[in-house]
Short mmCIF file of all heavy atoms in Angstrom, two decimals:
data_model
loop_
_atom_site.label_atom_id
_atom_site.label_comp_id
_atom_site.label_asym_id
_atom_site.label_seq_id
_atom_site.Cartn_x
_atom_site.Cartn_y
_atom_site.Cartn_z
N MET A 1 59.90 130.52 10.86
CA MET A 1 60.33 129.64 9.86
C MET A 1 61.83 129.95 9.51
O MET A 1 62.21 131.10 9.46
CB MET A 1 59.55 129.74 8.58
CG MET A 1 58.12 129.29 8.70
SD MET A 1 57.41 129.19 7.05
CE MET A 1 56.84 127.54 7.10
N ALA A 2 62.59 128.91 9.29
CA ALA A 2 63.96 129.09 8.95
C ALA A 2 64.12 129.50 7.53
O ALA A 2 63.40 129.08 6.64
CB ALA A 2 64.70 127.77 9.20
N LYS A 3 65.07 130.35 7.29
CA LYS A 3 65.35 130.87 5.96
C LYS A 3 66.76 130.35 5.50
O LYS A 3 67.61 130.17 6.32
CB LYS A 3 65.37 132.38 5.92
CG LYS A 3 64.09 133.04 6.25
CD LYS A 3 63.15 133.03 5.06
CE LYS A 3 61.89 133.82 5.42
NZ LYS A 3 60.99 133.90 4.26
N GLN A 4 66.87 130.06 4.20
CA GLN A 4 68.14 129.68 3.67
C GLN A 4 68.35 130.50 2.40
O GLN A 4 67.39 131.01 1.80
CB GLN A 4 68.14 128.18 3.32
CG GLN A 4 68.15 127.31 4.54
CD GLN A 4 68.43 125.84 4.21
OE1 GLN A 4 68.51 125.54 3.02
NE2 GLN A 4 68.46 125.02 5.19
N VAL A 5 69.59 130.61 1.97
CA VAL A 5 69.92 131.40 0.80
C VAL A 5 70.28 130.44 -0.33
O VAL A 5 71.07 129.49 -0.19
CB VAL A 5 71.15 132.31 1.13
CG1 VAL A 5 71.56 133.07 -0.13
CG2 VAL A 5 70.81 133.28 2.21
N ILE A 6 69.63 130.70 -1.49
CA ILE A 6 69.95 129.94 -2.70
C ILE A 6 70.40 130.91 -3.78
O ILE A 6 70.04 132.12 -3.71
CB ILE A 6 68.72 129.09 -3.17
CG1 ILE A 6 67.52 129.97 -3.48
CG2 ILE A 6 68.39 128.02 -2.16
CD1 ILE A 6 66.39 129.18 -4.14
N ASN A 7 71.07 130.44 -4.74
CA ASN A 7 71.59 131.32 -5.85
C ASN A 7 70.75 131.01 -7.11
O ASN A 7 70.85 129.89 -7.62
CB ASN A 7 73.06 131.04 -6.03
CG ASN A 7 73.70 132.04 -7.00
OD1 ASN A 7 73.04 132.52 -7.90
ND2 ASN A 7 74.97 132.31 -6.75
N VAL A 8 70.03 131.96 -7.53
CA VAL A 8 69.21 131.79 -8.79
C VAL A 8 69.63 132.91 -9.77
O VAL A 8 69.53 134.09 -9.52
CB VAL A 8 67.72 131.97 -8.42
CG1 VAL A 8 66.91 131.83 -9.70
CG2 VAL A 8 67.26 130.97 -7.40
N ASP A 9 70.15 132.44 -10.91
CA ASP A 9 70.59 133.34 -11.96
C ASP A 9 71.59 134.35 -11.48
O ASP A 9 71.54 135.53 -11.83
CB ASP A 9 69.42 134.08 -12.61
CG ASP A 9 68.48 133.15 -13.34
OD1 ASP A 9 68.99 132.12 -13.89
OD2 ASP A 9 67.29 133.39 -13.41
N GLY A 10 72.47 133.95 -10.60
CA GLY A 10 73.55 134.83 -10.11
C GLY A 10 73.14 135.74 -8.98
O GLY A 10 73.95 136.54 -8.51
N GLN A 11 71.90 135.64 -8.52
CA GLN A 11 71.42 136.48 -7.41
C GLN A 11 71.11 135.57 -6.21
O GLN A 11 70.48 134.49 -6.39
CB GLN A 11 70.19 137.27 -7.80
CG GLN A 11 70.45 138.23 -8.95
CD GLN A 11 69.13 138.93 -9.37
OE1 GLN A 11 68.08 138.61 -8.87
NE2 GLN A 11 69.29 139.90 -10.23
N ASP A 12 71.50 135.99 -5.07
CA ASP A 12 71.14 135.29 -3.82
C ASP A 12 69.77 135.63 -3.40
O ASP A 12 69.36 136.80 -3.36
CB ASP A 12 72.17 135.62 -2.72
CG ASP A 12 73.52 135.05 -2.94
OD1 ASP A 12 73.61 134.05 -3.71
OD2 ASP A 12 74.50 135.54 -2.40
N MET A 13 69.01 134.60 -3.09
CA MET A 13 67.59 134.82 -2.64
C MET A 13 67.42 134.11 -1.30
O MET A 13 67.79 132.94 -1.15
CB MET A 13 66.61 134.24 -3.67
CG MET A 13 66.67 134.91 -5.04
SD MET A 13 65.48 134.20 -6.17
CE MET A 13 63.93 134.56 -5.36
N ALA A 14 66.78 134.75 -0.40
CA ALA A 14 66.42 134.18 0.89
C ALA A 14 65.06 133.52 0.77
O ALA A 14 64.03 134.21 0.44
CB ALA A 14 66.43 135.20 2.01
N VAL A 15 65.00 132.20 0.94
CA VAL A 15 63.72 131.46 0.82
C VAL A 15 63.49 130.56 1.99
O VAL A 15 64.45 130.39 2.84
CB VAL A 15 63.73 130.60 -0.47
CG1 VAL A 15 63.75 131.52 -1.72
CG2 VAL A 15 64.86 129.64 -0.50
N ARG A 16 62.33 130.01 2.14
CA ARG A 16 62.04 129.11 3.25
C ARG A 16 62.90 127.83 3.10
O ARG A 16 63.34 127.50 2.04
CB ARG A 16 60.55 128.72 3.30
CG ARG A 16 59.65 129.85 3.62
CD ARG A 16 58.24 129.40 3.81
NE ARG A 16 57.92 128.17 3.04
CZ ARG A 16 56.77 128.00 2.40
NH1 ARG A 16 55.83 128.89 2.41
NH2 ARG A 16 56.55 126.89 1.75
N GLU A 17 63.09 127.19 4.24
CA GLU A 17 63.92 125.99 4.23
C GLU A 17 63.42 124.90 3.31
O GLU A 17 64.16 124.26 2.58
CB GLU A 17 64.03 125.47 5.68
CG GLU A 17 64.93 124.28 5.83
CD GLU A 17 65.07 123.82 7.25
OE1 GLU A 17 64.33 124.32 8.12
OE2 GLU A 17 65.91 122.93 7.52
N ASP A 18 62.11 124.64 3.28
CA ASP A 18 61.54 123.59 2.45
C ASP A 18 61.69 123.96 0.94
O ASP A 18 61.95 123.07 0.16
CB ASP A 18 60.07 123.32 2.82
CG ASP A 18 59.17 124.52 2.62
OD1 ASP A 18 59.68 125.65 2.71
OD2 ASP A 18 57.98 124.33 2.39
N THR A 19 61.59 125.23 0.64
CA THR A 19 61.79 125.64 -0.75
C THR A 19 63.23 125.44 -1.17
O THR A 19 63.50 124.98 -2.30
CB THR A 19 61.38 127.11 -0.93
OG1 THR A 19 60.06 127.29 -0.48
CG2 THR A 19 61.53 127.54 -2.40
N ALA A 20 64.15 125.74 -0.29
CA ALA A 20 65.58 125.54 -0.59
C ALA A 20 65.91 124.09 -0.77
O ALA A 20 66.64 123.72 -1.69
CB ALA A 20 66.44 126.19 0.50
N LYS A 21 65.33 123.21 0.07
CA LYS A 21 65.57 121.78 -0.06
C LYS A 21 65.04 121.27 -1.39
O LYS A 21 65.64 120.41 -2.06
CB LYS A 21 64.95 121.03 1.10
CG LYS A 21 65.72 121.17 2.38
CD LYS A 21 65.05 120.31 3.47
CE LYS A 21 65.81 120.44 4.78
NZ LYS A 21 65.18 119.68 5.85
N ALA A 22 63.83 121.72 -1.78
CA ALA A 22 63.25 121.29 -3.02
C ALA A 22 64.10 121.80 -4.21
O ALA A 22 64.31 121.04 -5.20
CB ALA A 22 61.82 121.85 -3.14
N TYR A 23 64.63 122.99 -4.11
CA TYR A 23 65.45 123.56 -5.17
C TYR A 23 66.74 122.70 -5.32
O TYR A 23 67.09 122.36 -6.43
CB TYR A 23 65.82 125.01 -4.80
CG TYR A 23 66.65 125.76 -5.81
CD1 TYR A 23 66.06 126.32 -6.92
CD2 TYR A 23 68.01 125.87 -5.61
CE1 TYR A 23 66.85 127.01 -7.87
CE2 TYR A 23 68.78 126.57 -6.52
CZ TYR A 23 68.19 127.13 -7.62
OH TYR A 23 68.95 127.79 -8.53
N ARG A 24 67.36 122.37 -4.22
CA ARG A 24 68.57 121.57 -4.28
C ARG A 24 68.26 120.13 -4.71
O ARG A 24 69.04 119.49 -5.47
CB ARG A 24 69.24 121.53 -2.91
CG ARG A 24 69.92 122.83 -2.52
CD ARG A 24 70.76 122.68 -1.34
NE ARG A 24 70.05 122.16 -0.15
CZ ARG A 24 69.51 122.90 0.78
NH1 ARG A 24 69.60 124.21 0.73
NH2 ARG A 24 68.88 122.37 1.80
N GLY A 25 67.08 119.64 -4.34
CA GLY A 25 66.70 118.27 -4.73
C GLY A 25 66.52 118.14 -6.26
O GLY A 25 66.87 117.10 -6.84
N VAL A 26 65.97 119.17 -6.86
CA VAL A 26 65.76 119.17 -8.31
C VAL A 26 67.13 119.10 -9.01
O VAL A 26 67.33 118.34 -9.94
CB VAL A 26 64.95 120.37 -8.76
CG1 VAL A 26 65.01 120.53 -10.27
CG2 VAL A 26 63.51 120.22 -8.30
N TYR A 27 68.08 119.90 -8.51
CA TYR A 27 69.41 119.88 -9.13
C TYR A 27 70.13 118.56 -8.93
O TYR A 27 70.79 118.02 -9.84
CB TYR A 27 70.25 121.05 -8.62
CG TYR A 27 70.02 122.31 -9.43
CD1 TYR A 27 69.13 123.26 -8.93
CD2 TYR A 27 70.59 122.47 -10.66
CE1 TYR A 27 68.87 124.38 -9.73
CE2 TYR A 27 70.33 123.62 -11.41
CZ TYR A 27 69.50 124.57 -10.93
OH TYR A 27 69.20 125.67 -11.66
N TRP A 28 69.99 117.93 -7.75
CA TRP A 28 70.56 116.64 -7.54
C TRP A 28 69.92 115.57 -8.42
O TRP A 28 70.62 114.67 -8.95
CB TRP A 28 70.50 116.21 -6.06
CG TRP A 28 71.61 116.72 -5.24
CD1 TRP A 28 71.57 117.69 -4.36
CD2 TRP A 28 72.97 116.28 -5.31
NE1 TRP A 28 72.82 117.93 -3.78
CE2 TRP A 28 73.69 117.05 -4.38
CE3 TRP A 28 73.63 115.31 -6.07
CZ2 TRP A 28 75.04 116.88 -4.17
CZ3 TRP A 28 75.01 115.16 -5.84
CH2 TRP A 28 75.68 115.93 -4.94
N ALA A 29 68.60 115.67 -8.62
CA ALA A 29 67.93 114.68 -9.48
C ALA A 29 68.42 114.85 -10.92
O ALA A 29 68.70 113.83 -11.57
CB ALA A 29 66.44 114.92 -9.38
N LEU A 30 68.50 116.08 -11.42
CA LEU A 30 69.01 116.26 -12.80
C LEU A 30 70.45 115.83 -12.96
O LEU A 30 70.80 115.20 -13.97
CB LEU A 30 68.88 117.77 -13.16
CG LEU A 30 67.44 118.28 -13.30
CD1 LEU A 30 67.45 119.78 -13.56
CD2 LEU A 30 66.69 117.56 -14.41
N LEU A 31 71.26 116.08 -11.94
CA LEU A 31 72.67 115.67 -11.96
C LEU A 31 72.77 114.13 -11.96
O LEU A 31 73.57 113.53 -12.70
CB LEU A 31 73.44 116.20 -10.81
CG LEU A 31 74.95 116.00 -10.75
CD1 LEU A 31 75.62 116.64 -11.96
CD2 LEU A 31 75.50 116.50 -9.46
N SER A 32 71.93 113.44 -11.19
CA SER A 32 71.91 112.00 -11.15
C SER A 32 71.47 111.40 -12.45
O SER A 32 72.05 110.40 -12.95
CB SER A 32 71.00 111.51 -10.03
OG SER A 32 71.43 111.98 -8.80
N ILE A 33 70.44 111.99 -13.10
CA ILE A 33 70.00 111.49 -14.38
C ILE A 33 71.09 111.68 -15.41
O ILE A 33 71.36 110.80 -16.23
CB ILE A 33 68.69 112.18 -14.76
CG1 ILE A 33 67.54 111.76 -13.83
CG2 ILE A 33 68.34 111.90 -16.23
CD1 ILE A 33 66.30 112.55 -14.00
N ALA A 34 71.74 112.81 -15.43
CA ALA A 34 72.85 113.08 -16.38
C ALA A 34 73.99 112.08 -16.16
O ALA A 34 74.56 111.58 -17.12
CB ALA A 34 73.30 114.50 -16.26
N GLY A 35 74.27 111.79 -14.89
CA GLY A 35 75.36 110.81 -14.60
C GLY A 35 74.97 109.41 -15.12
O GLY A 35 75.82 108.70 -15.64
N PHE A 36 73.71 109.03 -14.90
CA PHE A 36 73.25 107.72 -15.40
C PHE A 36 73.34 107.63 -16.92
O PHE A 36 73.80 106.66 -17.45
CB PHE A 36 71.83 107.47 -14.95
CG PHE A 36 71.23 106.21 -15.47
CD1 PHE A 36 71.60 105.03 -14.83
CD2 PHE A 36 70.39 106.18 -16.56
CE1 PHE A 36 71.08 103.82 -15.33
CE2 PHE A 36 69.86 105.01 -17.00
CZ PHE A 36 70.23 103.78 -16.40
N ILE A 37 72.95 108.70 -17.61
CA ILE A 37 73.02 108.72 -19.04
C ILE A 37 74.46 108.67 -19.51
O ILE A 37 74.81 107.93 -20.48
CB ILE A 37 72.30 109.96 -19.63
CG1 ILE A 37 70.82 109.84 -19.41
CG2 ILE A 37 72.62 110.17 -21.08
CD1 ILE A 37 70.01 111.07 -19.73
N LEU A 38 75.38 109.36 -18.83
CA LEU A 38 76.80 109.35 -19.21
C LEU A 38 77.37 107.98 -19.01
O LEU A 38 78.05 107.46 -19.88
CB LEU A 38 77.54 110.34 -18.34
CG LEU A 38 79.06 110.44 -18.57
CD1 LEU A 38 79.33 110.93 -19.97
CD2 LEU A 38 79.72 111.32 -17.54
N ILE A 39 77.08 107.27 -17.90
CA ILE A 39 77.60 105.94 -17.65
C ILE A 39 77.03 104.98 -18.68
O ILE A 39 77.77 104.13 -19.21
CB ILE A 39 77.28 105.50 -16.22
CG1 ILE A 39 78.06 106.35 -15.24
CG2 ILE A 39 77.54 104.02 -16.03
CD1 ILE A 39 77.69 106.15 -13.78
N ALA A 40 75.74 105.09 -19.02
CA ALA A 40 75.15 104.21 -20.01
C ALA A 40 75.78 104.42 -21.38
O ALA A 40 76.03 103.45 -22.12
CB ALA A 40 73.63 104.45 -20.08
N ALA A 41 76.10 105.66 -21.72
CA ALA A 41 76.75 105.96 -23.00
C ALA A 41 78.17 105.36 -23.01
O ALA A 41 78.60 104.81 -24.06
CB ALA A 41 76.78 107.45 -23.25
N ILE A 42 78.85 105.48 -21.97
CA ILE A 42 80.23 104.91 -21.85
C ILE A 42 80.19 103.40 -22.04
O ILE A 42 80.96 102.81 -22.83
CB ILE A 42 80.91 105.29 -20.57
CG1 ILE A 42 81.28 106.79 -20.55
CG2 ILE A 42 82.17 104.44 -20.33
CD1 ILE A 42 81.74 107.30 -19.22
N VAL A 43 79.26 102.73 -21.38
CA VAL A 43 79.12 101.26 -21.50
C VAL A 43 78.69 100.91 -22.90
O VAL A 43 79.23 99.95 -23.51
CB VAL A 43 78.08 100.73 -20.46
CG1 VAL A 43 77.75 99.31 -20.74
CG2 VAL A 43 78.67 100.90 -19.07
N PHE A 44 77.77 101.66 -23.45
CA PHE A 44 77.32 101.31 -24.83
C PHE A 44 78.40 101.49 -25.84
O PHE A 44 78.64 100.62 -26.69
CB PHE A 44 76.13 102.22 -25.13
CG PHE A 44 75.57 101.99 -26.56
CD1 PHE A 44 74.75 100.85 -26.76
CD2 PHE A 44 75.83 102.82 -27.60
CE1 PHE A 44 74.27 100.60 -28.04
CE2 PHE A 44 75.31 102.60 -28.88
CZ PHE A 44 74.54 101.51 -29.09
N PHE A 45 79.12 102.60 -25.81
CA PHE A 45 80.15 102.86 -26.80
C PHE A 45 81.43 102.12 -26.58
O PHE A 45 82.27 102.02 -27.46
CB PHE A 45 80.43 104.36 -26.96
CG PHE A 45 79.31 105.12 -27.58
CD1 PHE A 45 78.56 106.06 -26.86
CD2 PHE A 45 78.89 104.82 -28.88
CE1 PHE A 45 77.53 106.72 -27.45
CE2 PHE A 45 77.84 105.49 -29.46
CZ PHE A 45 77.15 106.47 -28.77
N SER A 46 81.61 101.58 -25.42
CA SER A 46 82.83 100.78 -25.14
C SER A 46 82.70 99.39 -25.66
O SER A 46 83.68 98.64 -25.74
CB SER A 46 83.17 100.80 -23.64
OG SER A 46 82.22 100.01 -22.96
N GLY A 47 81.54 98.97 -26.04
CA GLY A 47 81.34 97.61 -26.62
C GLY A 47 80.88 96.61 -25.58
O GLY A 47 80.68 95.47 -25.95
N LEU A 48 80.79 96.97 -24.36
CA LEU A 48 80.31 96.02 -23.34
C LEU A 48 78.89 95.56 -23.62
O LEU A 48 78.58 94.38 -23.43
CB LEU A 48 80.41 96.63 -21.95
CG LEU A 48 81.82 96.82 -21.41
CD1 LEU A 48 81.79 97.50 -20.07
CD2 LEU A 48 82.54 95.51 -21.32
N PHE A 49 78.09 96.44 -24.13
CA PHE A 49 76.74 96.05 -24.47
C PHE A 49 76.74 95.03 -25.58
O PHE A 49 75.98 94.05 -25.54
CB PHE A 49 75.91 97.26 -24.85
CG PHE A 49 74.50 96.98 -25.16
CD1 PHE A 49 73.59 96.68 -24.15
CD2 PHE A 49 74.00 96.97 -26.45
CE1 PHE A 49 72.28 96.41 -24.41
CE2 PHE A 49 72.67 96.74 -26.75
CZ PHE A 49 71.85 96.41 -25.72
N ASP A 50 77.58 95.20 -26.54
CA ASP A 50 77.71 94.26 -27.64
C ASP A 50 78.21 92.89 -27.21
O ASP A 50 77.68 91.85 -27.64
CB ASP A 50 78.62 94.85 -28.74
CG ASP A 50 78.63 94.01 -29.99
OD1 ASP A 50 77.53 93.51 -30.39
OD2 ASP A 50 79.71 93.86 -30.62
N LEU A 51 79.16 92.90 -26.32
CA LEU A 51 79.65 91.63 -25.79
C LEU A 51 78.61 90.93 -24.95
O LEU A 51 78.55 89.66 -24.99
CB LEU A 51 80.91 91.88 -24.99
CG LEU A 51 82.16 92.28 -25.72
CD1 LEU A 51 83.27 92.62 -24.72
CD2 LEU A 51 82.57 91.22 -26.71
N ALA A 52 77.82 91.63 -24.25
CA ALA A 52 76.84 91.01 -23.39
C ALA A 52 75.67 90.42 -24.19
O ALA A 52 75.01 89.51 -23.72
CB ALA A 52 76.26 92.01 -22.41
N THR A 53 75.44 90.89 -25.40
CA THR A 53 74.35 90.41 -26.20
C THR A 53 74.84 89.55 -27.38
O THR A 53 74.15 89.37 -28.34
CB THR A 53 73.51 91.54 -26.73
OG1 THR A 53 74.33 92.44 -27.49
CG2 THR A 53 72.85 92.33 -25.60
N ASP A 54 76.05 89.05 -27.28
CA ASP A 54 76.61 88.22 -28.38
C ASP A 54 75.82 86.90 -28.46
O ASP A 54 75.72 86.17 -27.48
CB ASP A 54 78.10 87.96 -28.10
CG ASP A 54 78.76 87.29 -29.29
OD1 ASP A 54 78.16 87.22 -30.37
OD2 ASP A 54 79.90 86.85 -29.09
N ASN A 55 75.26 86.59 -29.63
CA ASN A 55 74.47 85.39 -29.76
C ASN A 55 75.30 84.21 -30.21
O ASN A 55 74.79 83.15 -30.49
CB ASN A 55 73.32 85.63 -30.70
CG ASN A 55 73.76 86.05 -32.11
OD1 ASN A 55 74.93 86.24 -32.33
ND2 ASN A 55 72.82 86.25 -33.00
N ARG A 56 76.62 84.39 -30.31
CA ARG A 56 77.52 83.29 -30.63
C ARG A 56 78.41 83.00 -29.43
O ARG A 56 79.46 83.60 -29.26
CB ARG A 56 78.40 83.66 -31.84
CG ARG A 56 77.64 83.88 -33.13
CD ARG A 56 78.48 84.50 -34.13
NE ARG A 56 78.84 85.84 -33.62
CZ ARG A 56 79.93 86.52 -33.97
NH1 ARG A 56 80.75 86.05 -34.78
NH2 ARG A 56 80.13 87.70 -33.46
N PRO A 57 77.94 82.16 -28.52
CA PRO A 57 78.78 81.89 -27.36
C PRO A 57 80.09 81.21 -27.69
O PRO A 57 80.26 80.56 -28.69
CB PRO A 57 77.87 80.95 -26.50
CG PRO A 57 76.99 80.29 -27.52
CD PRO A 57 76.78 81.31 -28.61
N THR A 58 81.03 81.37 -26.80
CA THR A 58 82.36 80.78 -26.95
C THR A 58 82.19 79.28 -26.81
O THR A 58 81.55 78.79 -25.85
CB THR A 58 83.28 81.27 -25.85
OG1 THR A 58 83.34 82.68 -25.93
CG2 THR A 58 84.70 80.69 -26.04
N PRO A 59 82.73 78.47 -27.71
CA PRO A 59 82.54 77.03 -27.65
C PRO A 59 83.27 76.46 -26.42
O PRO A 59 84.32 76.99 -26.02
CB PRO A 59 83.14 76.51 -28.93
CG PRO A 59 84.00 77.63 -29.45
CD PRO A 59 83.47 78.90 -28.92
N SER A 60 82.69 75.43 -25.88
CA SER A 60 83.30 74.81 -24.74
C SER A 60 84.51 73.95 -25.17
O SER A 60 84.66 73.63 -26.32
CB SER A 60 82.30 73.91 -24.00
OG SER A 60 81.98 72.76 -24.83
N PRO A 61 85.41 73.62 -24.26
CA PRO A 61 86.54 72.76 -24.64
C PRO A 61 86.17 71.46 -25.25
O PRO A 61 86.82 70.94 -26.10
CB PRO A 61 87.29 72.58 -23.31
CG PRO A 61 86.90 73.75 -22.45
CD PRO A 61 85.51 74.11 -22.91
N ALA A 62 85.01 70.92 -24.79
CA ALA A 62 84.59 69.63 -25.37
C ALA A 62 84.21 69.77 -26.83
O ALA A 62 84.46 68.85 -27.65
CB ALA A 62 83.40 69.09 -24.60
N GLU A 63 83.61 70.91 -27.19
CA GLU A 63 83.29 71.13 -28.60
C GLU A 63 84.55 71.31 -29.45
O GLU A 63 84.56 70.92 -30.62
CB GLU A 63 82.42 72.36 -28.75
CG GLU A 63 80.99 72.13 -28.18
CD GLU A 63 80.21 73.40 -28.16
OE1 GLU A 63 80.76 74.52 -28.32
OE2 GLU A 63 78.97 73.34 -27.99
N ASN A 64 85.57 71.95 -28.87
CA ASN A 64 86.82 72.13 -29.57
C ASN A 64 87.49 70.77 -29.85
O ASN A 64 88.08 70.60 -30.90
CB ASN A 64 87.80 73.03 -28.79
CG ASN A 64 87.30 74.48 -28.82
OD1 ASN A 64 86.57 74.88 -29.67
ND2 ASN A 64 87.80 75.23 -27.85
N VAL A 65 87.43 69.82 -28.94
CA VAL A 65 88.02 68.51 -29.15
C VAL A 65 87.29 67.76 -30.21
O VAL A 65 87.91 67.10 -31.06
CB VAL A 65 88.07 67.72 -27.80
CG1 VAL A 65 88.48 66.30 -28.03
CG2 VAL A 65 88.95 68.43 -26.80
N SER A 66 85.99 67.79 -30.21
CA SER A 66 85.20 67.04 -31.14
C SER A 66 85.34 67.55 -32.58
O SER A 66 85.20 66.81 -33.56
CB SER A 66 83.73 66.99 -30.76
OG SER A 66 83.18 68.28 -30.81
N THR A 67 85.61 68.84 -32.76
CA THR A 67 85.79 69.39 -34.10
C THR A 67 87.22 69.27 -34.57
O THR A 67 87.53 69.54 -35.71
CB THR A 67 85.35 70.88 -34.13
OG1 THR A 67 86.15 71.63 -33.19
CG2 THR A 67 83.87 71.00 -33.81
N GLY A 68 88.15 68.89 -33.69
CA GLY A 68 89.52 68.73 -34.09
C GLY A 68 90.33 69.99 -34.07
O GLY A 68 91.39 70.06 -34.64
N ARG A 69 89.85 71.10 -33.41
CA ARG A 69 90.58 72.31 -33.34
C ARG A 69 91.52 72.39 -32.20
O ARG A 69 91.47 72.08 -31.17
CB ARG A 69 89.61 73.49 -33.26
CG ARG A 69 88.95 73.76 -34.54
CD ARG A 69 88.26 75.08 -34.52
NE ARG A 69 86.84 74.83 -34.78
CZ ARG A 69 85.91 75.74 -34.61
NH1 ARG A 69 86.21 76.95 -34.21
NH2 ARG A 69 84.70 75.49 -34.91
#
């Protein structure tokens, strides 16, 4: 079986290849989730979410003419 080296708590450990892939996969999954949360927070706090859910649509030009604006 192939061995790979992973770093756990500052120490290098030689583990099986499938264990090393699972270890790296968990970190990639956590990093992806953190990235998704960060992007969602940026969108939410930038106001794009508020603009997308605005229940007062912009009046069409025809409505502007009929109201005299």
